[in-house]
Amino acid sequence: MSISSIQKLIQRKIGSVSENFKLELIGSAEGYDIFELQSIDDSIVIRGSSESALASGFNWYLKHECHNHLSWCGSRLDLPAELPMLHSPIRHRSPYQLRYHLNYCTYSYSMPFWDWNRWEQELDFMSLNGINLMLTVTGLEEVWRRTLLRLGYTEEAVSDYICGPAFFAWQWMQNLTAWGGPLPLWWYDEQAELARKIRNRMNELGIKAVVQGFSGMVPRDFKKKFPESSPVDQGLWCGFDRPLLLLPTDPKYTETASIYYEELHRLYGTDIHHYSMDPFHEGGRADGLDIAAYAREVERSLLEHDPEAVWVLQAWEGNPKPELIGAIAQEHTLILDLWCESRPAWKETNAFQGHPWIWNMIQNYGGKNGLYGNLKIVAGDPLKAWKNPAAGQMSGIGLAMEGIGTNPVMYDLLTDMVWRESEPELEDWLAGYITRRYGKAPVSARKAWALLEKSVYNSSVVQQGTSESLLCARPALEIRNVSTWGPRGISYEPEMVREACRQLYQSYEICNTSEGYLYDLVDVTRQCLADLSREFHEQTIKAFLTQDILEFDVQSSRFLKLLEDQDRLLQTREEFLLGPWLEAARTKGRTEEEKRLFEYNARTLITVWGPESSATVLKDYSHREWSGLLSSFYGPRWKMYFEALRKSMLTESDPIEPDWFIWEHHWTCEYDSNFAIEPKGSIKEEVPRIIAAYL
């Protein structure tokens, strides 16, 4: 263990003030991490049992003693001239040996174009929040490239197999291949170097890596290249051909696995011992297979290449299958129960037959915007499971969101619970959160958050993420959900959110120097307009169905004005801009052709997602309520639709809609650098204007 790495982290965060912090290593509490804080003379002494504990102790001091706040969505780091001294020592033990972070999908929905500077910020953020186990797949495409080349594939064949950067998540989860590619050759070396930097920093911060293991995934032409082999066709995933599955009994399995693990360890190092493998993820074909025998052989191969290996599996949609779990060793297994806040799989599987597992929160699907969550569940359920003998070997707590950068309160609470052995009083915790995030906690802000806690952050309905804005929906007369698996409506009282918006705005003069406050004010206002989109859509369609063209003109114009005002509001915060997303993609390219390819990846993921064969299922799955996307994609789409409805009323004929996919695909192929990458406009002007007009 290294103290110096945490000293450097503290210096990166607070500069020369870091000299006032003294760090010491201490022993753990029966295998559980602890940290202690104490004032000695003019210094704050942080003692910790690991790098993670030391970093968490520093963050605890920032949060709960200095009332500062670090977040994806507006940080407030404002240390007083004299650091607060502690009147008595503080000591916290984590109930959880493992604190996990990231989902395969996060790498695509939020991180596909990150550089080292952005990764360095994220790794610091993880460490400060107690993370000590993280999925890392950056550079994995180079592992596969080297593996396939050693098997005799050409560079061209590898390029035909590996997908584009926005879609790696689903290739590694064995859902698809090729889509969004081909990658330029330099990409592989560059990302491998980035992967090494990430791994080195993870080592310094005491964050263990979860990497992709080999469970038999091979290209679809594998049998053609190796006739003696008989890989199993895995069928389709959302219209995409899956890669094939090479069984451990196949004559090519041992060779392929050996090459893969050699290249994996060459890139990531030999000190990794957690390997993620999810065969049959989201419907992979297993008919006729002896699942138990397959699992035992995959595990045997894994342990042959790393005797200390732990097979990490995602509990999701009936996987891992009971017969698979029953066939593998508990001491070499770790299961990520991904959706514990809504549908905990451990309760339906006899706690995974006694295998170690981690309580995770997904919370976000596709990186979509929207206020959503259940604070009471996050504050209470992990501890209830930890104390429940029926929960078996619960070993940790984790974050498994598909996209980051939304609902900061949910993540702040969950990471705070890493170091709590009892459930906090939620009202008190929220009061502290407001103070940390805004700098002050005026009455109006507390009233706003009381309303939010009782509405959007009190979801008791099992649903995949936030209620969705119809502004982002593909137009239709009846819209139940924007994305295929999204909620079909609103499960809270919208008026409570509107009142929260009005109350939050009353704190403007007191809190407007806080980035967190400004973000929240825009986000809550955005949610109000998103909710209104359902009412406005209903009124517009009612006018069409009654063939009242004058009323239709009024209502459709009103809907489009709502969309325009939403765009104007969101352009005041960088977090809600399309431009930075596209700019990050373009910046990755070296030639115009590469810049266009990467921008195509970025545009496609958040709109049609895939080709027409898959877009019927995946369209708008990752929709974003972003300025620029509203004005260039969602707005024109709705305008065309309303024009088609109006024309049908004038001609007394059925409406003729555009071929939506053709129009949407055309947008994904555009190459436009004119989207703003910096915010503009005035929050102080936009929010009260919207309140007066709509709320």
Side-chain angles (χ1 to χ4, degrees), residues 21 86 115 135 141 156 243 254 264 275 311 322 337 346 350 365 416 491 510 567-568 576 582 591 608 624 657 690 694:
F21 291 85
L86 303 174
D115 58 14
L135 176 69
E141 58 273 27
E156 183 179 5
T254 298
L264 182 73
Y275 301 83
W311 183 348
D337 197 350
W346 71 267
N350 191 26
Y365 290 80
D416 213 52
S491 60
I510 298 174
D567 190 85
R568 281 184 57 181
F576 297 106
L582 299 184
T591 67
V608 296
R624 313 285 171 94
E657 298 180 23
I690 287 171
Y694 296 103

Side-chain angles (χ1 to χ4, degrees), residues 219-494:
R220 292 193 62 80
D221 65 352
F222 199 83
K223 182 171 179 57
K224 181 178 179 181
K225 188 168 183 62
F226 304 106
E228 72 276 20
S229 181
S230 299
V232 178
D233 191 331
Q234 289 291 282
L236 299 176
W237 178 82
C238 297
F240 288 98
D241 288 321
R242 292 176 179 268
L244 302 182
L245 180 68
L246 196 63
L247 299 179
T249 53
D250 193 280
K252 293 296 291 184
Y253 187 94
T254 298
E255 177 189 2
T256 306
S258 294
I259 294 172
Y260 177 86
Y261 283 116
E262 286 175 15
E263 296 299 342
L264 182 73
H265 292 142
R266 184 171 288 124
L267 177 64
Y268 288 118
T270 57
D271 58 339
I272 51 173
H273 301 298
H274 289 81
Y275 301 83
S276 176
M277 295 180 283
D278 293 290
F280 320 114
H281 177 73
E282 292 192 346
R285 189 176 294 160
D287 299 345
L289 298 182
D290 186 335
I291 302 299
Y294 163 81
R296 282 192 293 269
E297 287 303 305
V298 170
E299 182 183 57
R300 182 196 58 75
S301 175
L302 173 62
L303 293 174
E304 183 180 292
H305 294 92
D306 182 355
E308 299 179 54
V310 174
W311 183 348
V312 180
L313 297 119
Q314 298 179 103
W316 178 251
E317 292 193 348
N319 281 329
K321 300 181 184 302
E323 55 268 46
L324 188 152
I325 299 175
I328 57 180
Q330 291 183 7
E331 65 269 25
H332 292 290
T333 307
L334 179 64
I335 297 172
L336 305 174
D337 197 350
L338 295 183
W339 202 16
C340 278
E341 80 273 26
S342 291
R343 186 173 288 163
W346 71 267
K347 293 184 177 181
E348 303 170 358
T349 59
N350 191 26
F352 305 109
Q353 303 176 41
H355 289 65
W357 64 277
I358 292 178
W359 193 106
N360 286 281
M361 175 179 75
I362 292 184
Q363 209 279 324
N364 179 276
Y365 290 80
K368 291 174 283 195
N369 309 102
L371 304 181
Y372 170 72
N374 190 309
L375 291 165
K376 291 179 181 177
I377 286 177
V378 169
D381 280 24
L383 283 171
K384 290 174 185 175
W386 175 61
K387 296 174 181 178
N388 187 349
Q393 290 197 65
M394 179 186 170
S395 301
I397 192 171
L399 306 168
M401 61 275 126
E402 289 190 356
I404 65 172
T406 65
N407 292 288
V409 67
M410 296 300 299
Y411 302 100
D412 195 81
L413 177 57
L414 186 63
T415 53
D416 213 52
M417 294 308 300
V418 164
W419 297 99
R420 293 180 183 268
E421 297 185 63
S422 61
E423 185 175 347
E425 184 64 42
L426 199 51
E427 183 179 351
D428 294 340
W429 187 90
L430 276 171
Y433 176 80
I434 296 166
T435 302
R436 296 193 300 272
R437 189 160 168 81
Y438 299 169
K440 298 177 181 177
V443 172
S444 54
R446 295 200 300 273
K447 287 181 178 179
W449 272 99
L451 290 163
L452 294 174
E453 187 271 323
K454 290 179 175 61
S455 55
V456 288
Y457 292 122
N458 188 33
S459 176
S460 58
V461 178
V462 176
Q463 63 184 46
Q464 289 197 13
T466 180
S467 62
E468 299 176 321
S469 172
L470 294 200
L471 299 177
C472 304
R474 182 183 279 184
L477 292 178
E478 181 181 5
I479 303 173
R480 293 186 177 182
N481 41 12
V482 179
S483 61
T484 300
W485 299 280
R488 294 191 172 189
I490 297 174
S491 60
Y492 51 85
E493 176 49 60

Side-chain angles (χ1 to χ4, degrees), residues 513-575:
T513 58
S514 161
E515 291 297 318
Y517 169 78
L518 295 173
Y519 173 91
D520 289 350
L521 181 59
V522 171
D523 201 19
V524 173
T525 309
R526 177 208 54 74
Q527 190 65 51
C528 293
L529 297 189
D531 293 344
L532 281 171
S533 70
R534 292 181 177 271
E535 297 178 24
F536 285 21
H537 174 263
E538 181 181 359
Q539 292 160 3
T540 304
I541 299 308
K542 180 180 179 181
F544 169 74
L545 293 175
T546 58
Q547 296 293 287
D548 186 338
I549 194 167
L550 294 178
E551 181 66 10
F552 177 82
D553 286 346
V554 170
Q555 296 299 338
S556 60
S557 296
R558 191 165 169 243
F559 184 95
L560 293 174
K561 183 65 166 60
L562 181 78
L563 189 149
E564 178 186 331
D565 284 339
Q566 186 77 298
D567 190 85
R568 281 184 57 181
L569 168 71
L570 297 181
Q571 70 183 1
T572 62
R573 290 293 301 182
E574 183 179 348
E575 298 94 340

Side-chain angles (χ1 to χ4, degrees), residues 31-61:
Y32 291 89
D33 264 342
I34 59 172
F35 69 74
E36 299 173 350
L37 303 174
Q38 185 179 7
S39 291
I40 298 179
D41 297 328
D42 294 329
S43 297
I44 304 298
V45 177
I46 305 174
R47 304 182 185 95
S49 56
S50 67
E51 293 94 342
S52 177
L54 287 169
S56 296
F58 170 67
N59 194 37
W60 189 275
Y61 178 79

